[in-house]
Amino acid sequence: MYSLSDFDFVLPEALIAQLPLPQRSASRLLHVGTDTLSDQSFADVLDHLTAGDLLVFNDTRVLKARFFGVKESGGKVEVLVERVLANADEQRAVLAQVRASKSPPAGTKIRLADQFDVIVGERVGEFYTLNFPSDVFELIEAHGRLPLPPYITHDADDFDEQRYQTVYSRVPGAVAAPTAGLHFDEALLERCRAKGINFAYVTLHVGAGTFQPVRTENLADHTMHSEWYTISDETVAAVRATKASGKAVVAVGTTSMRALESASQSGQLQAGSADTRLFITPGYVFKTVDRLITNFHLPKSSLLMLVSAFAGYDRIRAAYVHAIAQRYRFFSYGDAMLLSNASSSAFSSTDNPPEHKE
C-alpha cells in the first residue's frame, strides 16, 4: 500500500523548464522499456510506433483565463476562470478562483481588465460563480491573459500564447495545456500519418487542480478535482478497431488517459460527456490505454501517481532518478517520456526495474 511520501522527490529548481524550446519536437524523450532507459529525441517516438497504432490526442484549447480587477470597494482582485458553465444562459457564467483581501459577497460587482463588470454569484466550494455581461469566450479571448502554471516565473507573452497551445487545439475550455501534446508539430504529425499511424481525439478541459499536490498521507482520503470530458462515437470506433487488430492505443498525455479510462469504467470504452474525478493510483487496472506519452510531473501529484500505476512504481522511480541525473527538463515546457502498461503481457510488472542504456 502506497502513501503520499512514496511519491515525493527532490527536484533541482534549475530543471524546471521556464521556456519552450525553439522547435516543439526537439525536446528529449526518455523511453522507459521493460528493462532499459533510453535517452532519445522526441521525434524518435516514431521508432516506437507501427502502422495501425492509434494516437489519442486531447484537443482542448487553453483559455486566456486570468484577469486582474478591482472590487466596488476599490480592493484589488485576481480571477482565474476554472470552468465555463455549459448550462449557463448564453454562456455567460463561470466558476472561478477569486483572490482578494476579503471574500466578495454575492451580488457585488468586480471590474475586470478595466473593461467590463462581472457579478458575483453563489459560492461553490473553493470557487465563485461569476456572471459575465455577454459571451464568456469572447470576453476571455479579448481581455484575458494566458494562465501559465505557477512554477513558471515569467508573465505570458506572445510566444507563450503560441507555444502553450497544441497545434491541434480546437475546443476552448482548459486553464492548463495538455502538455505532452506540445511536443508535436505539423511536420511530426505528417510523418506519423505517412507511417500509417492513426489519430483520434478526446476533449478534456484541464483545470487548475492539476497543479495541486495531494495533501493527505493516506491516498484514500484525497478528494480528486473534477474535470469535464467528452468522447465521440468516432473515437470509440477507432479505439475498438485498433484493439481488434492487435495494435496499440497510445494516449498523448495524462489528460487523454484520464478521459479514456474514465469512459471505460464499464469495461469497454463508451462515447459521451461527463465530469470525472477518477483518481488513478498503483493497483488500478487499465482498461483501454496500452502506451502513454507524458511529461515529467510534480512531486506528490496525482499525475505522478497515475504514471506510477501505469508503468510500475519502481520503473518510474528509476526513470525520475535517471532524468534528474541526466538533466532532463521538467514540467509543462519540459521533456517527455514514453511508457507502456506494466500489466500487459509484453511488459510485465514483475520485471526488474530498468537499467540505463545509451
Side-chain angles (χ1 to χ4, degrees):
M1 181 69 71
Y2 293 100
S3 59
L4 180 62
S5 55
D6 294 317
F7 298 93
D8 197 11
F9 64 94
V10 177
L11 179 69
E13 188 174 345
L15 297 186
I16 300 174
Q18 294 294 325
L19 296 168
L21 296 177
Q23 182 180 342
R24 289 177 184 268
S25 59
S27 300
R28 298 169 73 188
L29 177 73
L30 179 58
H31 176 231
V32 181
T34 16
D35 55 6
T36 60
L37 295 171
S38 181
D39 299 314
Q40 301 177 354
S41 168
F42 188 80
D44 295 331
V45 71
L46 269 174
D47 297 338
H48 304 286
L49 302 174
T50 60
D53 286 347
L54 181 69
L55 288 172
V56 183
F57 299 99
N58 180 6
D59 63 5
T60 189
R61 185 167 181 81
V62 183
L63 299 169
K64 294 181 180 179
R66 189 179 303 281
F67 288 90
F68 295 94
V70 292
K71 295 184 291 185
E72 290 178 291
S73 63
K76 294 183 178 180
V77 177
E78 181 179 350
V79 168
L80 179 65
V81 173
E82 170 75 10
R83 178 184 298 199
V84 177
L85 296 176
N87 60 349
D89 182 33
E90 299 180 8
Q91 294 180 320
R92 291 190 180 189
V94 305
L95 288 181
Q97 297 178 16
V98 177
R99 294 182 180 177
S101 57
K102 294 182 179 179
S103 299
T108 59
K109 292 181 180 180
I110 300 174
R111 187 153 186 85
L112 297 182
D114 199 26
Q115 295 292 328
F116 61 94
D117 294 334
V118 295
I119 298 175
V120 178
E122 64 178 342
R123 189 81 181 263
V124 182
E126 63 183 301
F127 301 112
Y128 292 83
T129 303
L130 300 180
N131 297 293
F132 279 56
S134 59
D135 184 85
V136 168
F137 291 109
E138 292 180 1
L139 290 171
I140 285 176
E141 183 61 28
H143 305 295
R145 302 185 185 186
L146 192 74
L148 291 177
Y151 44 75
I152 291 179
T153 57
H154 69 272
D155 293 331
D157 58 20
D158 291 344
F159 190 50
D160 292 299
E161 290 191 8
Q162 174 197 355
R163 290 298 302 278
Y164 197 62
Q165 301 279 11
T166 62
V167 298
Y168 48 79
S169 65
R170 65 182 185 88
V171 185
V175 299
T179 54
L182 298 179
H183 303 287
F184 286 88
D185 52 28
E186 293 291 357
L188 182 56
L189 292 172
E190 186 52 43
R191 289 177 61 200
C192 290
R193 294 186 188 97
K195 192 170 180 177
I197 297 161
N198 299 315
F199 298 169
Y201 298 89
V202 299
T203 303
L204 183 142
H205 291 325
V206 191
T210 192
F211 302 119
Q212 296 299 314
V214 176
R215 293 187 172 89
T216 58
E217 185 64 21
N218 183 350
L219 302 185
D221 294 335
H222 175 63
T223 300
M224 189 67 175
H225 62 280
S226 176
E227 293 173 320
W228 179 90
Y229 74 89
T230 187
I231 296 177
S232 67
D233 290 326
E234 290 78 9
T235 292
V236 170
V239 167
R240 291 181 181 175
T242 302
K243 292 284 193 183
S245 65
K247 296 295 184 176
V249 174
V250 184
V252 179
T254 56
T255 61
S256 295
M257 163 86 82
R258 284 192 74 219
L260 290 168
E261 291 297 319
S262 295
S264 301
Q265 292 304 293
S266 67
Q268 188 176 44
L269 183 66
Q270 304 291 329
S273 301
D275 282 313
T276 178
R277 290 185 178 272
L278 182 63
F279 183 30
I280 296 177
T281 59
Y284 176 86
V285 178
F286 290 86
K287 301 166 180 62
T288 294
V289 178
D290 302 305
R291 309 187 80 184
L292 174 65
I293 298 168
T294 185
N295 282 22
F296 294 91
H297 302 294
L298 289 104
K300 296 184 178 181
S301 65
S302 62
L303 300 182
L304 181 57
M305 296 168 193
L306 181 154
V307 297
S308 298
F310 187 71
Y313 177 83
D314 289 339
R315 281 195 181 86
I316 291 298
R317 292 293 291 190
Y320 273 57
V321 168
H322 172 79
I324 291 170
Q326 297 300 312
R327 302 193 65 80
Y328 274 72
R329 300 165 70 248
F330 274 65
F331 307 160
S332 295
Y333 277 151
D335 298 313
M337 294 190 294
L338 175 62
L339 309 174
S340 295
N341 186 352
S343 64
S344 71
S345 58
F347 192 22
S348 172
S349 59
T350 61
D351 290 344
N352 292 324
E355 301 293 336
H356 173 55
K357 178 181 178 182
E358 294 291 349

